[in-house]
Amino acid sequence: MRYTFKQLEYFVAVAECGTIAGAAEKVHVSPPSISVAIAQLEEALEVRLFVRQPSGLQLTDAGSEVLSHTRALLEKAHGLQDFSGLAKGELRGKVTLGSFITLAPLVLPEICQSFAERHPAVSIELLEGSQDQLIGYLRRGIIDLAITYEMHIPQDLWFEPLAGLPPVVMVDANHRLATMSSVDIKELEGDPYILLDLPISRDYFLSIFEKSGVSPNVRMKTTHFEVVRSMVANGIGVSIGVVRPVNNAALDGKPIVSVPISNPLPVLNIGVLSRRSDFSQLASALKKQIQQLVTPSHVPGMTPL
DNA sequence: GTCCGAGATTTCCTTGTGGG
DNA sequence: CCCACAAGGAAATCTCGGAC
């Protein structure tokens, strides 16, 4: 064998980043090391893996073919490393967990802490994103699992629901609805609405209005959940959310009131999204840990339902 | 046409490791 | 201990696209 695993790892990094510089940063070596490794790998395999372009490197058809074989090979190699740990009664290695961006600050600390206590030799890498980003990360093998919502799950991935979260209306403490025990969506008609403008998520929130025959008065759009909460807390508008952080205040300290919705709306399930196959020991262990922590009666970081 | 910046590659050097 | 080799970093150089 005239190539090395290190060359293969650098090859995958370049394929994923699209540039030598990006790959170098990713694997923590200098660009020349990557460049040399790719050249050596191409020589060893006697195949052109990349087309060099001014903006970076683009995979050739042969390179794409080699990439899928390389990923499978590295996956098996990592599996062997996991197995060596298992033989000694412990898991070791690296697992990458994705999280829907609004859930991350609430659920990840407890998951990471408990998993680290149980499997100290395993390192967890985290990657947050919107639903479509997480789906892409899973398909490309960048993450092993994702904790997210049951929204637009494609056929090639597998979602396991763990808890159902009913949507609630968020208003500021002085809002006329703040003291209500529940609210009808129709009562939001005319109120300025702050929209969490993430792909797929925005469709979910707008569909709540659509089902109630109300058109929302969208005043502002933002891709950051904490910005939504700050706008609401400062009385700039109202919003709808499904996460209810234990801390019911925005980052500036102003309180947010969550009011249940009286309309019959389906709960939004939170759960684990994964590939249907290609499941490592580490991913299984992490999934098991998440299943134990996220239950219908307890979601880390959130007030009990 | 010239300049500038981004990115890749080459050259040379240092460091670490394994074999004799 | 010495030597050979591999890996990786720093600096220099090359290539190309975009701006003026």
Side-chain angles (χ1 to χ4, degrees), chain A residues 100-101 129-133 135 151-152 196-205 222-223:
Chain A
F100 191 81
I101 195 149
S130 62
Q131 189 79 337
D132 59 339
Q133 284 177 319
I135 289 168
M151 297 187 297
H152 291 227
L196 180 63
D197 195 19
L198 292 173
I200 301 178
S201 299
R202 80 171 76 87
D203 301 333
Y204 170 75
F205 290 119
T222 172
T223 56

Side-chain angles (χ1 to χ4, degrees), chain A residues 99-106 129 149 196 198 224-225 242-243 302:
Chain A
S99 173
F100 191 81
I101 195 149
T102 61
L103 290 171
L106 300 172
Y149 296 113
L196 180 63
L198 292 173
H224 294 272
F225 183 56
V242 287
V243 295
M302 293 193 206

Side-chain angles (χ1 to χ4, degrees), chain A residues 55-281:
Chain A
S55 56
L57 280 72
Q58 190 175 10
L59 273 173
T60 60
D61 290 344
S64 298
E65 185 73 19
V66 172
L67 179 63
S68 64
H69 286 292
T70 300
R71 281 198 170 122
L73 189 59
L74 290 175
E75 186 74 27
K76 284 190 189 302
H78 289 140
L80 183 63
Q81 201 167 6
D82 297 348
F83 179 78
S84 68
L86 274 177
K88 289 187 286 185
E90 66 170 4
L91 284 176
R92 57 177 61 245
K94 185 192 83 176
V95 63
T96 306
L97 175 62
S99 173
F100 191 81
I101 195 149
T102 61
L103 290 171
L106 300 172
V107 302
L108 292 185
E110 194 172 325
I111 290 171
C112 290
Q113 191 173 30
S114 61
F115 190 75
E117 282 171 6
R118 191 159 183 172
H119 304 289
V122 179
S123 66
I124 304 184
E125 288 197 359
L126 304 174
L127 195 57
E128 301 80 30
S130 62
Q131 189 79 337
D132 59 339
Q133 284 177 319
L134 293 174
I135 289 168
Y137 293 155
L138 272 170
R139 283 176 170 159
R140 282 179 277 152
I142 295 172
I143 59 176
D144 298 292
L145 296 174
I147 180 156
T148 185
Y149 296 113
E150 189 171 17
M151 297 187 297
H152 291 227
I153 306 298
Q155 287 290 319
D156 58 318
L157 299 179
W158 178 30
F159 181 83
E160 182 174 342
L162 298 175
L165 300 175
V168 293
V169 171
M170 296 185 291
V171 297
D172 67 276
N174 297 319
H175 195 274
R176 67 177 194 287
L177 301 176
T179 54
M180 306 274 279
S181 58
S182 67
V183 59
D184 191 295
I185 292 295
K186 284 194 169 64
E187 294 183 66
L188 300 182
E189 195 159 31
D191 270 296
Y193 186 79
I194 313 298
L195 178 67
L196 180 63
D197 195 19
L198 292 173
I200 301 178
S201 299
R202 80 171 76 87
D203 301 333
Y204 170 75
F205 290 119
L206 293 176
S207 75
I208 291 177
F209 283 93
E210 198 177 329
K211 281 174 189 159
S212 306
V214 177
S215 26
N217 174 22
V218 177
R219 178 167 178 185
M220 286 184 185
K221 297 177 181 179
T222 172
T223 56
H224 294 272
F225 183 56
E226 278 304 333
V227 176
V228 172
R229 286 166 55 80
S230 292
M231 293 293 175
V232 168
N234 282 275
I236 294 168
V238 303
S239 192
I240 295 176
V242 287
V243 295
R244 280 186 288 179
V246 172
N247 176 12
N248 60 349
L251 290 179
D252 61 6
K254 292 181 179 164
I256 299 164
V257 178
S258 296
V259 186
I261 296 172
S262 59
N263 308 57
L265 295 171
V267 297
L268 185 56
N269 285 322
I270 174 178
V272 179
L273 186 62
S274 62
R275 290 181 287 274
R276 288 186 175 274
S277 57
D278 181 23
F279 221 66
S280 71
Q281 296 274 1

